[in-house]
Amino acid sequence: MRRLRRCLQHWMIRSLGYWNPRNSRVCGKSGTQGALTGVGLSIGYPLALNGSPAGLSVMSAAPGGPAEKAGIMSGDVILAIDDTSAQDMDIYDAADRLQGPEGSSIDLTILSGADTRHVVLKRERYTLNPVRSRMCEIPGSEDSSKIGYIKLTTFNQNAAGSVKEAIKKLRENNVKAFVLDLRNNSGGLFPEGIEIAKIWMDKGVIVYICDSRGVRDIYEADGASTVAASEPLVVLVNKGTASASEILAGALKDNKRAVVYGEPTYGKGKIQSVFALSDGSGLAVTVARYETPARTDIDKVGVTPDRPLPASFPTDEDGFCSCLRDPASCNLNAARLFVRS
């Protein structure tokens, strides 16, 4: 059990351009600090094989990182790294190639939709704040309904504390409900995902850890860490929502704590341990999988939302507040935002 729990600390391999498979023990730690050096990409293997382009799928681009500033988005495909084809490239080989000293450059061939382009990125050091928040209002009554919007971009070591602080500040503005935006959040530290679930839940299963013999561990909320278990809650997800984000979204959905909006999530349901090999490479071995409280195995399928989001729905806090002020501009029924059906 101790071995499995150690694996859970590092199971989300973040390919942000600085992870080194020669030191697999720090693979989770190096991708979960506040200050990062790299190109700001989280990558995975494409899930569809029938006719889809070969390469590595972009799960998300870190806000403020070089990749995002170059216009690389979730769903794009990396076809080549420095003129080396990514068609059969191992994800850990790709992570090794993406890393490098601050200020050095890397050339990526990116497929965005039907368009292929070359992008030269300069590796940078940047600060990744896991949380952005804002108070928004729905007009139409004498006392406008106030909603607290929280954008969670990653599960680093500061994530749970930052979410609690955001809730505290929003409550000072008398918010009546919350929206938790997990879109393009590709995961991070497993324990932070569990702690953030406990912030919103006072009871219930968060996730089951299973292997071929059945359930090996159960994570539950007991009320000890609860901060906001009563206010209405909406969770936003998309295909860039992965790993720890899916654990959180699945827990809040299955326990009927939140209404989940968006599109099916990425579908990363395997727990892997990385072992260093003598030639300096790394071997990822699947040691378990996670299942949502409803016993749904989401690997390669994802969490299915309760309701879709309009195609015109904004992706940032300013756009979200504007959408609430003028729901017709984004095809949103703001009055029924927190209604499950």
Side-chain angles (χ1 to χ4, degrees), residues 22-46:
R22 292 175 177 80
N23 192 355
S24 61
R25 289 187 178 275
V26 300
C27 64
K29 186 185 297 183
S30 63
T32 51
Q33 305 298 311
L36 308 174
T37 300
V39 297
L41 279 177
S42 292
I43 60 175
Y45 296 114

Side-chain angles (χ1 to χ4, degrees), residues 290-307:
Y290 71 78
E291 294 183 358
T292 69
R295 300 305 304 272
T296 300
D297 181 353
I298 65 170
D299 192 54
K300 299 183 180 180
V301 177
V303 174
T304 301
D306 296 304
R307 302 172 69 176

Side-chain angles (χ1 to χ4, degrees), residues 11 210 243 246 266-271 286 288-291 297-300:
W11 71 291
C210 308
S243 190
E246 294 176 290
Y266 186 82
K268 188 182 188 304
K270 289 186 174 68
I271 300 167
T286 299
R289 68 183 186 279
Y290 71 78
E291 294 183 358
D297 181 353
I298 65 170
D299 192 54
K300 299 183 180 180

Side-chain angles (χ1 to χ4, degrees), residues 151-184:
K151 174 75 170 181
L152 180 60
T153 59
T154 188
F155 291 82
N156 66 11
Q157 62 185 10
N158 306 317
S162 296
V163 170
K164 289 179 181 179
E165 183 64 23
I167 292 172
K168 177 182 177 182
K169 289 183 178 179
L170 289 167
R171 277 179 168 165
E172 291 173 356
N173 288 314
N174 298 314
V175 300
K176 305 299 183 183
F178 292 97
V179 171
L180 178 63
D181 194 344
L182 299 177
R183 289 175 294 175
N184 296 321

Side-chain angles (χ1 to χ4, degrees), residues 11 33 52 68 96 131 149 172 190 203 209 229 252 262 272 279 281 288 325 327:
W11 71 291
Q33 305 298 311
S52 65
E68 187 202 46
D96 204 19
V131 169
Y149 173 91
E172 291 173 356
F190 174 86
K203 62 180 179 180
I209 306 301
L252 295 175
Q272 296 179 317
D279 63 356
S281 62
R325 289 193 297 269

Side-chain angles (χ1 to χ4, degrees), residues 10 15 20 32 58 60 71 75 125 133-134 186 193 261 281-282 299 321 337:
H10 307 294
S15 300
N20 189 343
T32 51
V58 174
S60 66
R125 184 172 177 81
S133 63
R134 180 170 173 176
S186 58
Y261 282 77
S281 62
D299 192 54
C321 287
L337 181 63

